[in-house]
Amino acid sequence: MKRNELIAVVGGVVLFAAACAPSKSVKMQQALSANETERFESKYTGPKRRIGVVEFENKSAYGQGRLGGAASDILITELVKSGKFIVVERDKMNKIMEEQKLQAQGAIDQQTAVQIGKIMGLEAIVTGSVSQFGVKKEGSDYLLAQSKQQVADVTVDIRLVDTQSGQVLMADSGKGQAKSKKKSFLGMGTKGGYDETLEGEALRASIVQFVDNIASQLNKKAWSCMIADASGEELYLNAGQDSGVKTGMKLVCYHQGAEIRDPRSNLVIGHREEYIGAAEVQRYCGDSGDCSIAKMLRAAGVTAKAHDICRLAK
C-alpha cells in the first residue's frame, strides 16, 4: 500500500502519521442449499455440462437496470472459469426467448425451461435474483485523523432447473460483502463519493460459491447430450471436443415421448422413453469444436432423430 508520510508539530510534540490509499476487503458467507448435507458428496467427473443462465431479476431497490445483468454475467464467468461447463451466452439465450415470446428474466416457469432446453440442447438452466443490496457508511473522527468506510452487502438467490423435467434441482442463497476504506490526516488524504466497484465485488463474493454446488447437483444425473442429426448408423451429437467428449466414449440413446406428470401436483416429473440403442463416439465433426459423430453398436429398431437424448453409459 502506498504511504504518504506526514510530520506535524503539535504543542511541541512531533507526530508521525500516514495518509493511506483506499483499501478494500471482500467477504463471502456460506451458501444455504436446500440439500445442505449432500452439497459436496458428488465430485465432478466426465464431460462438461451444457447449461444456460437467464438474466437475473433485481428485486432490491438499488441499481435498477444493472444489478441483475451484472449478477448473471458474473455467474457465467465463474462457471466458464471452473472448466466444468459449456455455458450458452446470455445474449443468445435472450434472443431465443424473445423469438419464442418467452419471459427472459427472473424465475422462468417449468414449461419454458423445458422448451428452451429442447431448442438449445441444454441440460439445465440457472435462474436467479438479487434479493437484497445495500450500502452503508461507517467512520470515526479524531482530533487529527479521519477514517471512512463504505460497506456493500448483497444477497443473491438462484435456482437450477432441469430442462428435461422442468423440476428445480437446487435452490441456493449466497451472501457477499465488500468494503472500501479511506483515511485522511489533518484533512489530507483520500476523499471521494460512492465507490461503484463495490457492487461487482460484493456480487462476485456472493456468487462464486454457487459453482461447486451446481456441479455437485448436476453430477448426480448421468451426463447427456442431444442428437442433432442422424444418418444410417451415424449419430451427430451436439457435444464434441470442447465439451470434453472423447473418442471411444460409450452412450445409450433414447427417444423422448409424452410427458409424465405427478398426479398430485400435475408437475412434469419425466418423459416416456423409447430405447434407441447403444452407441460409441468415433470422431469429431464441424468447425464449432462441439460436434461429434457416434456409431450405433446395438440398435433396437427405433429410428434416431434430432432432439433425441444420448446419456453417458454407466
Side-chain angles (χ1 to χ4, degrees):
M1 179 170 60
K2 184 178 179 181
R3 298 171 59 93
N4 298 314
E5 292 188 352
L6 178 65
I7 302 175
V9 180
V10 180
V13 179
V14 179
L15 301 177
F16 293 87
C20 302
S23 61
K24 293 183 180 179
S25 62
V26 178
K27 178 182 179 182
M28 66 180 70
Q29 298 179 22
Q30 185 66 41
L32 303 176
S33 173
N35 302 301
E36 188 77 25
T37 60
E38 300 181 13
R39 175 176 296 150
F40 298 113
E41 289 182 4
S42 180
K43 294 183 179 180
Y44 174 76
T45 57
K48 297 179 183 179
R49 305 284 182 165
R50 185 177 175 88
I51 65 174
V53 178
V54 177
E55 181 173 345
F56 288 8
E57 184 179 2
N58 181 18
K59 293 183 178 179
S60 73
Y62 189 92
Q64 294 294 335
R66 70 172 182 267
L67 286 186
S72 54
D73 285 343
I74 289 171
L75 178 58
I76 290 171
T77 299
E78 295 301 322
L79 290 170
V80 173
K81 281 170 57 180
S82 74
K84 301 175 182 179
F85 304 93
I86 294 291
V87 186
V88 176
E89 295 178 6
R90 186 160 59 88
D91 289 344
K92 291 182 179 178
M93 288 281 294
N94 290 344
K95 183 178 180 181
I96 292 294
M97 296 181 84
E98 184 179 339
E99 290 174 352
Q100 299 295 318
K101 299 185 179 346
L102 300 172
Q103 181 179 338
Q105 193 180 69
I108 62 177
D109 60 30
Q110 182 188 51
Q111 185 176 355
T112 299
V114 173
Q115 188 173 350
I116 290 297
K118 189 172 183 179
I119 293 171
M120 306 194 74
L122 305 176
E123 285 192 70
I125 292 176
V126 182
T127 71
S129 63
V130 180
S131 54
Q132 295 181 7
F133 191 95
V135 179
K136 60 184 178 182
K137 294 182 179 180
E138 301 172 346
S140 57
D141 292 317
Y142 298 101
L143 179 62
L144 301 176
Q146 292 182 327
S147 177
K148 301 295 182 182
Q149 178 173 256
Q150 294 179 355
V151 182
D153 289 289
V154 63
T155 301
V156 177
D157 301 315
I158 68 163
R159 288 188 174 189
L160 180 68
V161 184
D162 184 343
T163 56
Q164 292 184 27
S165 68
Q167 291 183 308
V168 177
L169 299 176
M170 181 188 81
D172 231 346
S173 180
K175 295 183 179 181
Q177 185 182 86
K179 298 179 180 181
S180 177
K181 295 181 180 180
K182 300 178 181 180
K183 297 180 180 180
S184 64
F185 180 78
L186 293 179
M188 299 177 62
T190 303
K191 295 182 179 180
Y194 172 62
D195 186 350
E196 293 186 356
T197 63
L198 287 177
E199 293 177 16
E201 291 170 353
L203 284 170
R204 189 172 299 278
S206 67
I207 288 170
V208 68
Q209 56 203 288
F210 292 141
V211 176
D212 285 340
N213 297 4
I214 291 172
S216 179
Q217 290 299 322
L218 284 179
N219 205 46
K220 294 176 182 178
K221 297 178 52 183
W223 177 88
S224 66
C225 62
M226 275 189 175
I227 296 175
D229 197 5
S231 177
E233 294 183 340
E234 290 190 331
L235 307 177
Y236 294 83
L237 309 176
N238 73 335
Q241 202 164 10
D242 287 353
S243 291
V245 170
K246 300 183 183 300
T247 57
M249 183 179 291
K250 300 293 194 301
L251 305 169
V252 286
C253 303
Y254 300 87
H255 171 68
Q256 287 196 319
E259 296 175 345
I260 301 173
R261 292 183 176 271
D262 187 323
R264 295 167 298 180
S265 63
N266 200 39
L267 294 176
V268 176
I269 57 175
H271 290 78
R272 292 181 183 176
E273 293 188 342
E274 191 173 9
Y275 180 65
I276 297 172
E280 181 182 280
V281 177
Q282 300 287 312
R283 62 190 188 277
Y284 304 118
C285 59
D287 298 324
S288 68
D290 228 14
C291 175
S292 61
I293 300 173
K295 182 180 179 180
M296 296 296 298
L297 301 178
R298 294 185 302 276
V302 179
T303 302
K305 57 184 181 180
H307 299 297
D308 285 341
I309 299 293
C310 288
R311 299 190 180 103
L312 190 63
K314 295 182 179 179

